């Protein structure tokens, strides 16, 4: 069995460096899409709705050989879900789960991004995609109150795997409540075919109660400032990748893992016990020669 890993990390989110990958064009909140003369060049052919998936699933590889307009519709939801056995937590999410929905596009695509903040939410939110060059990686164009939507556009210029997260102040609180995910920009030549692809992100949760204290837990700001997480988990909950939730492969399969660290504070030293990665790339490194 062969493994390869693509890794991207967001650490100390308040001072995270923006990785330049795309050019940003903004539109006012709830405004119509930009006209062709404003946003689309001759290389953009047609349009499609982005397929978004929840971890550990990944959208299917891109088969087309041309750039297109990709419409991404992502909704912020504040939801109570299981953190551990007997423990619930009010997660702030992109798409209803932690980590947020996986976004997959192609180098050269024009992305029309719609961020909706569900009407039942209590907080304003936005999105900072580390794959966007522009004000706050899109954050300045996407600050959205509950019950409203915002829209902006950007063109994917360089391939890579990138974090996205909420950048509404206090940023550490929004990220610490689960507001992070990943966006993949495939190179023009695509990625080599593999048997399986999976999406894994590490994250921390700072609860007022101790580890294992049952009931609905709330965010503890003092623990977060002191960098003392109650839970450090993969994919938003204890046991998310074991038992009947385990990711699987057969002998001889080639497995590609997209691995990220939402933080907001701790480093991830991800590894697979009993296996050795054949290849490893950091988020923005070339992936064209992947096996």
């Amino acid at each position: 069995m062969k493994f390869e890993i693509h890794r991207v990390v967001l650490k100390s989110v308040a001072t995270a460096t923006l990785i330049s990958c795309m050019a940003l064009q903004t539109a006012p909140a709830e405004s119509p899409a930009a006209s062709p003369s404003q946003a689309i060049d001759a290389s953009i052919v047609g349009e499609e709705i982005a397929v978004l998936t929840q971890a550990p699933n990944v959208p299917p590889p891109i088969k087309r050989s041309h750039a297109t307009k990709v419409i991404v519709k992502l909704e912020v939801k504040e939801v109570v879900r299981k953190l551990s056995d007997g423990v619930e937590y009010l997660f702030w999410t992109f798409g209803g789960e932690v980590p947020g929905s996986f976004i997959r596009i192609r180098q050269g695509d024009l992305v029309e991004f719609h961020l909706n903040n569900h009407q039942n939410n209590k907080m304003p939110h936005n999105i900072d995609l580390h794959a966007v060059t522009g004000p706050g990686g899109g954050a300045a164009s996407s600050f959205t109150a509950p019950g409203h939507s915002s829209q902006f556009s950007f063109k994917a210029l360089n391939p890579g795997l990138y974090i996205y997260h909420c950048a509404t102040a206090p940023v550490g609180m929004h990220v610490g409540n689960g507001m992070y995910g990943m966006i993949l920009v495939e190179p023009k030549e695509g990625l080599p075919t593999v048997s399986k692809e999976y999406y894994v992100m590490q994250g921390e949760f700072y609860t007022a109660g101790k580890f294992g204290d049952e009931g609905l837990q709330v965010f503890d700001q003092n623990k977060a400032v002191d960098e003392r997480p109650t839970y450090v988990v993969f994919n938003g909950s204890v046991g998310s990748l074991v038992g009947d939730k385990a990711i699987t492969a057969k002998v001889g399969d080639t497995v590609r893992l997209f691995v990220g660290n939402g933080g907001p504070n701790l480093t991830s030293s991800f590894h697979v016990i009993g296996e050795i990665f054949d290849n490893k790339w950091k988020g923005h490194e070339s992936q064209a020669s992947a096996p």
Side-chain angles (χ1 to χ4, degrees), residues 18-283:
L18 178 69
I19 300 173
S20 176
C21 177
M22 303 183 183
L24 174 71
Q25 296 176 320
T26 64
E30 300 182 281
S31 65
S35 68
S37 62
Q38 293 172 312
I40 300 178
D41 60 41
S43 66
I44 304 299
V45 179
E47 68 177 49
E48 62 185 46
I49 303 294
V51 175
L52 306 181
T53 59
Q54 304 300 330
N57 299 310
V58 178
I62 295 173
K63 300 299 184 181
R64 53 184 163 81
S65 59
H66 62 273
T68 193
K69 177 180 177 180
V70 180
I71 301 170
V72 177
K73 297 181 179 180
L74 187 60
E75 184 170 52
V76 175
K77 296 180 180 179
E78 299 169 7
V79 295
V80 174
R81 293 195 180 280
K82 177 182 173 181
L83 177 57
S84 184
D85 288 340
V87 182
E88 293 187 322
Y89 190 82
L90 178 59
F91 295 95
W92 299 353
T93 76
F94 289 106
E97 301 283 349
V98 177
S101 302
F102 195 101
I103 304 168
R104 190 170 198 159
I105 58 176
R106 178 188 180 273
Q107 183 181 9
D109 283 347
L110 174 69
V111 180
E112 180 182 292
F113 203 103
H114 298 257
L115 185 70
N116 182 60
N117 193 352
H118 194 276
Q119 62 184 6
N120 293 337
N121 292 347
K122 304 299 183 185
M123 300 291 294
H125 300 285
N126 63 7
I127 191 166
D128 171 2
L129 299 116
H130 283 203
V132 172
T133 298
S141 304
S142 61
F143 185 80
T144 311
H148 293 269
S149 298
S150 58
Q151 177 188 321
F152 61 97
S153 297
F154 60 89
K155 188 173 182 182
L157 302 178
N158 298 302
L161 178 65
Y162 299 90
I163 287 280
Y164 68 78
H165 64 92
C166 185
T168 300
V171 180
M173 176 184 288
H174 285 250
V175 174
N177 280 321
M179 298 199 73
Y180 48 81
M182 290 200 288
I183 178 171
L184 172 67
V185 184
E186 283 199 21
K188 291 181 179 179
E189 62 273 23
L191 295 176
T193 301
V194 293
S195 308
K196 302 260 187 162
E197 293 182 321
Y198 291 113
Y199 170 28
V200 179
M201 285 197 79
Q202 179 177 304
E204 308 140 30
F205 293 93
Y206 301 83
T207 62
K210 297 178 181 179
F211 180 86
D213 281 358
E214 295 187 351
L216 180 61
Q217 293 294 316
V218 297
F219 178 81
D220 188 315
Q221 178 71 18
N222 291 328
K223 283 186 179 179
V225 170
D226 292 340
E227 300 186 9
R228 294 185 293 110
T230 318
Y231 296 86
V232 181
V233 299
F234 290 122
N235 289 356
S237 64
V238 174
S240 65
L241 293 173
V242 299
D244 60 1
K245 298 179 181 178
I247 58 177
T248 62
K250 298 177 181 179
V251 174
D253 281 352
T254 302
V255 180
R256 178 180 291 133
L257 301 178
F258 298 104
V259 179
N261 181 13
N265 291 314
L266 302 185
T267 298
S268 175
S269 299
F270 182 87
H271 63 288
V272 175
I273 297 172
E275 255 300 344
I276 298 173
F277 294 119
D278 296 276
N279 297 281
K280 178 177 72 70
W281 290 265
K282 293 183 180 179

